[in-house]
Amino acid sequence: MSEDDPLERLSGAVPGPRTAEHIPALRAYESQNVTHLADDFPVFWESARGATVVDVDGNRYLDLTAAFGVANVGHANPRVTAAVADQAERLMHGMGDVHPTAVRARLLERLAQILPPGLKKTFLATTGSEAVEAALKTATLATGRSRFASYRGAYHGLSLGALTVCGIDKFREPFAPALGQRALLLDYPGSDETADGAIARTRAELTGHTDVAALLIEPIQGRAGCIVPPPGYLSAVRALCDDLGILMIVDEIYTGFGRTGTWFAVDREGVLPDIICIGKAMGSGFPISAAVGRAEVMDAWPLSNGEALHTSTYLGNPMGCAAALATIGELARRHLPARAAALEPFLRSRLNALTSRRVVVGVRGRGLLWGVQLANPGVAAATVKRALRAGLILLQSGAAGDVIAITPPLVITERQLARAVEILEAAIDAIE
Ligand code: PMP
């Protein structure tokens, strides 16, 4: 086994005794809402590199999650860790909207180069939800309207503003009184529809709602279980937004930075959003995100007179900027968006073959963003646990929890990917 291409290696029980040692502290001191702690799940992570993760018991796993689609350039990518370490020694934190940094100026310029043309004025932030908040506030200022159209199944983060446009009931319900009627929830099209049919419905759903500032859309719905709209739908949404005079905000927090085989998913149809939200893989694990818009839209914000209307303590944090610049450098240097596209046929055919199993309802995806829909959430949970015991990290997903999300680091080797899929197949077969 070569050092650059490690596979799984289990050195004992999964979860092991060291994981068990840490559980009481979590149980005692963490909000009980955060981590589901069972006897057979989860494991405590200790380190990660490339497409593998090592737990506190020394078990090494293949990773088909990239930790929520973040480690696109690989866990602990050496160029990213070097950039972060170097930045940490010089300046770990600056003064967001007061004294800027050179690394921030370089990142803003670089983002404008890799994003669809015209998207060039940026609000940097820390999490995906915050990027969405900035986009929503921008749309409100730019249009003077206060409602938003988004989709059933949509996931844009869980902060209060982002939750307003969330289309997954279980996240909304406990907070429904606080969310009000700010969102107009539309039906997201399935891949079995035509773009023409789907856009006619979207138009009908939007008709008469003159209070809508913007329509928010994920180019592929991630958290909902990897729902891919029909080809042409995104461009049709662009035309519809122009026609109705509402802004188009594309949430590429999950799909961006090469995940779907192009730098951004909108690049595939040449769609130019008014605002794009990015995050996750942007900093390879250092929290950084952004809302980037066309100048005409972003200039709805007043010129700063020394006090920004929208900022935060960590805006443009220099470590995040250094991590993002190094990440973009790695994506470009190693042609990782193209690599995601090149690995797609293998993954597509192996996952499609799974549909011969009784418990596999369907598979769908693009590039290295896939969803395997199983018979029910119980089967999905059992598959994830069985795979873990065999040395593979998977993520249960889908609005109902019945989907397994497959989002490996884009640097995963063919041998690692083939082995990971083999473990997934075996886990499903064992459950079947
Ligand atoms: N938008 C999309 C499409 C996402 O997938 C996510 C995170 N899963 C978010 C927004 C929210 O990002 P964060 O969790 O960093 O707030």
Side-chain angles (χ1 to χ4, degrees):
M1 190 188 301
S2 107
E3 264 305 292
D4 295 336
D5 188 28
L7 299 181
E8 82 286 3
R9 191 192 60 206
L10 302 178
S11 49
V14 173
R18 294 220 165 80
T19 275
E21 274 171 27
H22 296 296
I23 284 180
L26 222 55
R27 203 167 258 143
Y29 300 115
E30 186 175 62
S31 159
Q32 62 177 8
N33 172 249
V34 179
T35 315
H36 173 71
L37 296 166
D39 289 343
D40 55 354
F41 196 88
V43 291
F44 278 70
W45 290 18
E46 172 79 15
S47 64
R49 198 168 186 83
T52 57
V53 172
V54 176
D55 74 8
V56 288
D57 287 283
N59 296 308
R60 185 168 65 210
Y61 307 86
L62 287 165
D63 175 23
L64 279 188
T65 72
F68 305 129
V70 166
N72 284 14
V73 300
H75 291 284
N77 178 297
R79 292 192 186 213
V80 177
T81 57
V84 169
D86 177 61
Q87 185 62 49
E89 283 189 357
R90 286 181 295 114
L91 183 72
M92 215 190 260
H93 173 61
M95 290 186 76
D97 59 319
V98 181
H99 296 293
T101 56
V103 69
R104 176 161 120 216
R106 284 203 302 277
L107 174 62
L108 296 175
E109 198 172 5
R110 191 76 182 100
L111 283 175
Q113 291 164 355
I114 60 163
L115 283 165
L119 295 175
K120 61 175 206 174
K121 292 264 191 147
T122 299
F123 263 117
L124 287 173
T126 311
T127 64
S129 322
E130 273 184 88
V132 169
E133 302 282 344
L136 297 180
K137 285 176 78 174
T138 302
T140 304
L141 275 189
T143 63
R145 300 178 216 143
S146 58
R147 288 191 78 202
F148 303 99
S150 58
Y151 289 84
R152 296 194 177 84
Y155 189 90
H156 301 291
L158 299 182
S159 59
L160 203 52
L163 190 60
T164 303
V165 286
C166 175
I168 299 179
D169 287 344
K170 67 183 167 202
F171 295 121
R172 294 184 68 89
E173 260 162 27
F175 307 98
L179 302 179
Q181 300 299 315
R182 185 147 300 140
L184 175 69
L185 290 176
L186 316 170
D187 281 324
Y188 197 81
S191 38
D192 50 341
E193 285 183 77
T194 63
D196 285 352
I199 201 67
R201 187 186 54 235
T202 308
R203 178 184 281 277
E205 289 172 315
L206 280 168
T207 298
H209 294 282
T210 49
D211 49 355
V212 169
L215 177 149
L216 247 94
I217 184 166
E218 293 165 86
I220 292 178
Q221 278 193 334
R223 184 65 180 75
C226 203
I227 316 289
V228 184
Y233 181 71
L234 272 189
S235 348
V237 168
R238 174 69 275 182
L240 179 60
C241 286
D242 286 342
D243 197 26
L244 300 178
I246 62 182
L247 298 177
M248 181 184 190
I249 303 173
V250 174
D251 180 345
E252 291 245 21
I253 289 164
Y254 207 4
T255 50
F257 295 99
R259 172 64 48 201
T260 68
T262 45
W263 272 87
F264 296 92
V266 288
D267 295 340
R268 192 178 154 100
E269 290 186 12
V271 170
L272 299 179
D274 294 296
I275 305 174
I276 195 168
C277 297
I278 52 177
K280 282 192 186 279
M282 181 174 177
S284 295
F286 198 96
I288 182 165
S289 64
V292 190
R294 296 192 300 114
E296 299 84 325
V297 173
M298 296 298 275
D299 288 349
W301 289 92
L303 188 65
S304 173
N305 60 6
E307 183 143 58
L309 278 187
H310 183 80
T311 182
S312 66
T313 305
Y314 294 116
L315 181 145
N317 172 274
M319 308 271 287
C321 292
L325 273 171
T327 299
I328 293 167
E330 278 294 84
L331 285 162
R333 186 180 72 86
R334 296 169 69 174
H335 307 290
L336 293 176
R339 179 167 170 74
L343 288 173
E344 176 185 317
F346 169 79
L347 198 55
R348 177 187 294 280
S349 78
R350 290 294 292 272
L351 295 180
N352 273 334
L354 286 175
T355 54
S356 65
R357 273 59 161 200
R358 199 175 38 84
V359 295
V360 178
V361 174
V363 298
R364 50 203 176 229
R366 182 189 302 157
L368 289 180
L369 175 61
W370 285 79
V372 176
Q373 184 164 1
L374 297 168
N376 57 58
V379 171
T383 304
V384 170
K385 287 181 177 182
R386 190 169 270 275
L388 185 73
R389 289 203 296 281
L392 174 65
I393 300 204
L394 294 173
L395 179 66
Q396 189 177 351
S397 181
D402 55 353
V403 173
I404 291 183
I406 311 267
T407 61
L410 312 186
V411 297
I412 193 168
T413 67
E414 284 163 43
R415 190 175 84 112
Q416 288 173 321
L417 187 58
R419 176 68 187 141
V421 172
E422 217 173 88
I423 299 175
L424 170 65
E425 282 165 355
I428 288 176
D429 283 341
I431 283 156
E432 170 111 354

